[in-house]
Amino acid sequence: MLESNISERWHSDEPLDLMTLALDVVESLEGPAARDEAERELFALERALAEELEDMIAPLHLLPCLYDGLGFAGDSDTFFSVDNCLMNRVLARREGIPVSLGILLIHLCRRFGVDAEGINFPGHFLVRMWSEEEGAVIDPFTGRQLPRHEVELLLRGARGNLARLTPEHLKGTSDTEVLVRLLNVTKAAYINQQQFGQALACSELLLRLKPDCPFERRDRGFLYEQLDCGKLAADDFEFFIEHRPDDPIADVLKAQIAGLDLSPKTLH
C-alpha cells in the first residue's frame, strides 16, 4: 500500500514540491515513522529560521541564518554516506551533501518567499537564488555565493582542465530531475555500503520516474545480479540490449547473461 500511494502521488496531475518528493523517498526506504520524524524536524527548523529572519532585508540573508545561525553544513568527513542523502537523517544531523542540502535550501527559500531553483551542475549540485533581477549561484555544501571563477573551478574538477563553462551548465532543472539526482546518489551510497537491497529499492523508485529508461533497467539488472536473482537480472540486461544494441556494454551484458543462474529466486 505504501509503494502504491507514493506511485499514485508521483504520477498524479497535482504538482508536488521538492521536499514532498524527498520525504516520499524517506518513507519508501525507511518507513512512515522516519517521514513523521523528518516532518517534525522540518517544522521546528522552519520556526527557528522564521525567528532568525525576523528582520531580514534581503533574500541572501537566509544563508547565514541557516548555515551559521542554525549550524547546517556539508559533511566532508563521511561524504559518501546514506546519512548525507536521506532527508530525515540530514535534518537530524544538520549535515549533508550538495544535493540533499540543496533540496533543503530550495524548500526553505520557497517557504520564505525567495525564488530558487536547482542546477544539475556536473559533479556538484548548485542552487540559484533570485535577488531582485539577478540570480546568485549558491554552493549548498557551504552556503556561499560562488563567483564565476569558482564555478569554473568546479567544472574543471568534474570534467578536466579543458572544460569551459557555458550557459547550459548553469541552466535550471526541474524538481523531478533533482529527485532523480538524489536517488542516484542515494543508490550509489547504498552500493558503497554493500546494502544492495536498499540500492534496489532506489532503483525501483527511479524506474517509477523513468520506466522505459534502458540505463536504469541495466543498473537494476546489476543489483539483481548482486542479489543472486539471475532471471530478473537477465530480463533487465535483455531490455538494455534490445533498446541499445550499439552500446559497447551490450556485448558485455550478453556474456553476463550467459553466466547467470536463471532458476527462479525470491526476494525477501
PDB file of all heavy atoms in Angstrom, residues 128-144:
ATOM      1  N   ARG A 128      20.352  28.172  -7.513  1.00  0.00           N
ATOM      2  CA  ARG A 128      20.262  29.585  -7.885  1.00  0.00           C
ATOM      3  C   ARG A 128      19.179  30.246  -7.043  1.00  0.00           C
ATOM      4  O   ARG A 128      18.042  29.781  -7.003  1.00  0.00           O
ATOM      5  CB  ARG A 128      19.940  29.757  -9.370  1.00  0.00           C
ATOM      6  CG  ARG A 128      19.866  31.242  -9.792  1.00  0.00           C
ATOM      7  CD  ARG A 128      19.556  31.405 -11.267  1.00  0.00           C
ATOM      8  NE  ARG A 128      20.679  31.022 -12.108  1.00  0.00           N
ATOM      9  CZ  ARG A 128      20.717  29.921 -12.845  1.00  0.00           C
ATOM     10  NH1 ARG A 128      19.699  29.064 -12.839  1.00  0.00           N
ATOM     11  NH2 ARG A 128      21.768  29.640 -13.597  1.00  0.00           N
ATOM     12  N   MET A 129      19.563  31.320  -6.351  1.00  0.00           N
ATOM     13  CA  MET A 129      18.612  32.137  -5.600  1.00  0.00           C
ATOM     14  C   MET A 129      18.473  33.473  -6.306  1.00  0.00           C
ATOM     15  O   MET A 129      19.477  34.090  -6.692  1.00  0.00           O
ATOM     16  CB  MET A 129      19.101  32.356  -4.161  1.00  0.00           C
ATOM     17  CG  MET A 129      19.110  31.101  -3.318  1.00  0.00           C
ATOM     18  SD  MET A 129      19.871  31.364  -1.687  1.00  0.00           S
ATOM     19  CE  MET A 129      18.802  32.627  -0.984  1.00  0.00           C
ATOM     20  N   TRP A 130      17.227  33.898  -6.439  1.00  0.00           N
ATOM     21  CA  TRP A 130      16.982  35.149  -7.143  1.00  0.00           C
ATOM     22  C   TRP A 130      16.876  36.297  -6.161  1.00  0.00           C
ATOM     23  O   TRP A 130      16.091  36.269  -5.214  1.00  0.00           O
ATOM     24  CB  TRP A 130      15.711  35.054  -7.973  1.00  0.00           C
ATOM     25  CG  TRP A 130      15.826  34.034  -9.062  1.00  0.00           C
ATOM     26  CD1 TRP A 130      15.388  32.742  -9.024  1.00  0.00           C
ATOM     27  CD2 TRP A 130      16.464  34.207 -10.324  1.00  0.00           C
ATOM     28  NE1 TRP A 130      15.704  32.097 -10.192  1.00  0.00           N
ATOM     29  CE2 TRP A 130      16.355  32.966 -11.009  1.00  0.00           C
ATOM     30  CE3 TRP A 130      17.096  35.273 -10.949  1.00  0.00           C
ATOM     31  CZ2 TRP A 130      16.873  32.776 -12.285  1.00  0.00           C
ATOM     32  CZ3 TRP A 130      17.610  35.084 -12.217  1.00  0.00           C
ATOM     33  CH2 TRP A 130      17.497  33.847 -12.873  1.00  0.00           C
ATOM     34  N   SER A 131      17.702  37.303  -6.374  1.00  0.00           N
ATOM     35  CA  SER A 131      17.698  38.513  -5.570  1.00  0.00           C
ATOM     36  C   SER A 131      17.446  39.688  -6.514  1.00  0.00           C
ATOM     37  O   SER A 131      18.323  40.055  -7.306  1.00  0.00           O
ATOM     38  CB  SER A 131      19.040  38.673  -4.847  1.00  0.00           C
ATOM     39  OG  SER A 131      19.102  39.881  -4.143  1.00  0.00           O
ATOM     40  N   GLU A 132      16.229  40.220  -6.454  1.00  0.00           N
ATOM     41  CA  GLU A 132      15.796  41.256  -7.392  1.00  0.00           C
ATOM     42  C   GLU A 132      15.917  40.710  -8.816  1.00  0.00           C
ATOM     43  O   GLU A 132      15.323  39.705  -9.143  1.00  0.00           O
ATOM     44  CB  GLU A 132      16.599  42.544  -7.177  1.00  0.00           C
ATOM     45  CG  GLU A 132      16.382  43.127  -5.776  1.00  0.00           C
ATOM     46  CD  GLU A 132      17.199  44.371  -5.536  1.00  0.00           C
ATOM     47  OE1 GLU A 132      18.030  44.723  -6.403  1.00  0.00           O
ATOM     48  OE2 GLU A 132      17.004  44.998  -4.487  1.00  0.00           O
ATOM     49  N   GLU A 133      16.724  41.326  -9.680  1.00  0.00           N
ATOM     50  CA  GLU A 133      16.781  40.905 -11.072  1.00  0.00           C
ATOM     51  C   GLU A 133      17.834  39.833 -11.332  1.00  0.00           C
ATOM     52  O   GLU A 133      17.803  39.153 -12.337  1.00  0.00           O
ATOM     53  CB  GLU A 133      17.085  42.122 -11.978  1.00  0.00           C
ATOM     54  CG  GLU A 133      15.989  43.169 -11.976  1.00  0.00           C
ATOM     55  CD  GLU A 133      14.674  42.635 -12.489  1.00  0.00           C
ATOM     56  OE1 GLU A 133      14.670  41.845 -13.450  1.00  0.00           O
ATOM     57  OE2 GLU A 133      13.630  42.983 -11.915  1.00  0.00           O
ATOM     58  N   GLU A 134      18.781  39.684 -10.419  1.00  0.00           N
ATOM     59  CA  GLU A 134      19.903  38.781 -10.679  1.00  0.00           C
ATOM     60  C   GLU A 134      19.798  37.509  -9.874  1.00  0.00           C
ATOM     61  O   GLU A 134      19.347  37.503  -8.734  1.00  0.00           O
ATOM     62  CB  GLU A 134      21.227  39.484 -10.336  1.00  0.00           C
ATOM     63  CG  GLU A 134      21.698  40.378 -11.460  1.00  0.00           C
ATOM     64  CD  GLU A 134      23.178  40.653 -11.378  1.00  0.00           C
ATOM     65  OE1 GLU A 134      23.960  39.739 -11.083  1.00  0.00           O
ATOM     66  OE2 GLU A 134      23.543  41.795 -11.626  1.00  0.00           O
ATOM     67  N   GLY A 135      20.234  36.413 -10.506  1.00  0.00           N
ATOM     68  CA  GLY A 135      20.288  35.147  -9.802  1.00  0.00           C
ATOM     69  C   GLY A 135      21.684  34.904  -9.259  1.00  0.00           C
ATOM     70  O   GLY A 135      22.674  35.050  -9.975  1.00  0.00           O
ATOM     71  N   ALA A 136      21.762  34.548  -7.982  1.00  0.00           N
ATOM     72  CA  ALA A 136      23.043  34.245  -7.354  1.00  0.00           C
ATOM     73  C   ALA A 136      23.230  32.736  -7.318  1.00  0.00           C
ATOM     74  O   ALA A 136      22.332  32.000  -6.902  1.00  0.00           O
ATOM     75  CB  ALA A 136      23.089  34.813  -5.942  1.00  0.00           C
ATOM     76  N   VAL A 137      24.395  32.253  -7.760  1.00  0.00           N
ATOM     77  CA  VAL A 137      24.704  30.823  -7.729  1.00  0.00           C
ATOM     78  C   VAL A 137      25.283  30.480  -6.359  1.00  0.00           C
ATOM     79  O   VAL A 137      26.274  31.059  -5.928  1.00  0.00           O
ATOM     80  CB  VAL A 137      25.688  30.441  -8.845  1.00  0.00           C
ATOM     81  CG1 VAL A 137      26.079  28.971  -8.727  1.00  0.00           C
ATOM     82  CG2 VAL A 137      25.071  30.714 -10.213  1.00  0.00           C
ATOM     83  N   ILE A 138      24.615  29.522  -5.682  1.00  0.00           N
ATOM     84  CA  ILE A 138      24.977  29.168  -4.312  1.00  0.00           C
ATOM     85  C   ILE A 138      25.500  27.737  -4.267  1.00  0.00           C
ATOM     86  O   ILE A 138      24.933  26.835  -4.892  1.00  0.00           O
ATOM     87  CB  ILE A 138      23.746  29.284  -3.379  1.00  0.00           C
ATOM     88  CG1 ILE A 138      23.062  30.652  -3.525  1.00  0.00           C
ATOM     89  CG2 ILE A 138      24.139  29.007  -1.932  1.00  0.00           C
ATOM     90  CD1 ILE A 138      23.933  31.830  -3.183  1.00  0.00           C
ATOM     91  N   ASP A 139      26.574  27.531  -3.512  1.00  0.00           N
ATOM     92  CA  ASP A 139      27.039  26.191  -3.209  1.00  0.00           C
ATOM     93  C   ASP A 139      26.318  25.738  -1.935  1.00  0.00           C
ATOM     94  O   ASP A 139      26.616  26.235  -0.844  1.00  0.00           O
ATOM     95  CB  ASP A 139      28.548  26.184  -2.982  1.00  0.00           C
ATOM     96  CG  ASP A 139      29.084  24.798  -2.622  1.00  0.00           C
ATOM     97  OD1 ASP A 139      28.278  23.845  -2.525  1.00  0.00           O
ATOM     98  OD2 ASP A 139      30.305  24.668  -2.449  1.00  0.00           O
ATOM     99  N   PRO A 140      25.353  24.813  -2.027  1.00  0.00           N
ATOM    100  CA  PRO A 140      24.617  24.412  -0.822  1.00  0.00           C
ATOM    101  C   PRO A 140      25.457  23.629   0.171  1.00  0.00           C
ATOM    102  O   PRO A 140      25.051  23.458   1.320  1.00  0.00           O
ATOM    103  CB  PRO A 140      23.467  23.552  -1.379  1.00  0.00           C
ATOM    104  CG  PRO A 140      23.958  23.061  -2.694  1.00  0.00           C
ATOM    105  CD  PRO A 140      24.863  24.124  -3.238  1.00  0.00           C
ATOM    106  N   PHE A 141      26.623  23.166  -0.245  1.00  0.00           N
ATOM    107  CA  PHE A 141      27.508  22.448   0.669  1.00  0.00           C
ATOM    108  C   PHE A 141      28.121  23.395   1.697  1.00  0.00           C
ATOM    109  O   PHE A 141      28.373  23.012   2.839  1.00  0.00           O
ATOM    110  CB  PHE A 141      28.601  21.744  -0.134  1.00  0.00           C
ATOM    111  CG  PHE A 141      29.360  20.703   0.635  1.00  0.00           C
ATOM    112  CD1 PHE A 141      28.745  19.512   1.019  1.00  0.00           C
ATOM    113  CD2 PHE A 141      30.692  20.882   0.967  1.00  0.00           C
ATOM    114  CE1 PHE A 141      29.443  18.534   1.717  1.00  0.00           C
ATOM    115  CE2 PHE A 141      31.392  19.912   1.662  1.00  0.00           C
ATOM    116  CZ  PHE A 141      30.761  18.732   2.049  1.00  0.00           C
ATOM    117  N   THR A 142      28.361  24.625   1.284  1.00  0.00           N
ATOM    118  CA  THR A 142      28.987  25.616   2.175  1.00  0.00           C
ATOM    119  C   THR A 142      28.079  26.788   2.519  1.00  0.00           C
ATOM    120  O   THR A 142      28.361  27.535   3.456  1.00  0.00           O
ATOM    121  CB  THR A 142      30.259  26.193   1.517  1.00  0.00           C
ATOM    122  OG1 THR A 142      29.879  26.882   0.308  1.00  0.00           O
ATOM    123  CG2 THR A 142      31.245  25.086   1.181  1.00  0.00           C
ATOM    124  N   GLY A 143      27.016  26.979   1.726  1.00  0.00           N
ATOM    125  CA  GLY A 143      26.152  28.136   1.922  1.00  0.00           C
ATOM    126  C   GLY A 143      26.727  29.426   1.380  1.00  0.00           C
ATOM    127  O   GLY A 143      26.249  30.512   1.712  1.00  0.00           O
ATOM    128  N   ARG A 144      27.725  29.320   0.519  1.00  0.00           N
ATOM    129  CA  ARG A 144      28.375  30.509  -0.028  1.00  0.00           C
ATOM    130  C   ARG A 144      27.885  30.806  -1.439  1.00  0.00           C
ATOM    131  O   ARG A 144      27.635  29.888  -2.233  1.00  0.00           O
ATOM    132  CB  ARG A 144      29.894  30.324  -0.090  1.00  0.00           C
ATOM    133  CG  ARG A 144      30.597  30.276   1.247  1.00  0.00           C
ATOM    134  CD  ARG A 144      32.086  30.023   1.061  1.00  0.00           C
ATOM    135  NE  ARG A 144      32.690  30.964   0.122  1.00  0.00           N
ATOM    136  CZ  ARG A 144      33.190  30.618  -1.061  1.00  0.00           C
ATOM    137  NH1 ARG A 144      33.148  29.362  -1.481  1.00  0.00           N
ATOM    138  NH2 ARG A 144      33.726  31.526  -1.846  1.00  0.00           N
TER     139      ARG A 144
END
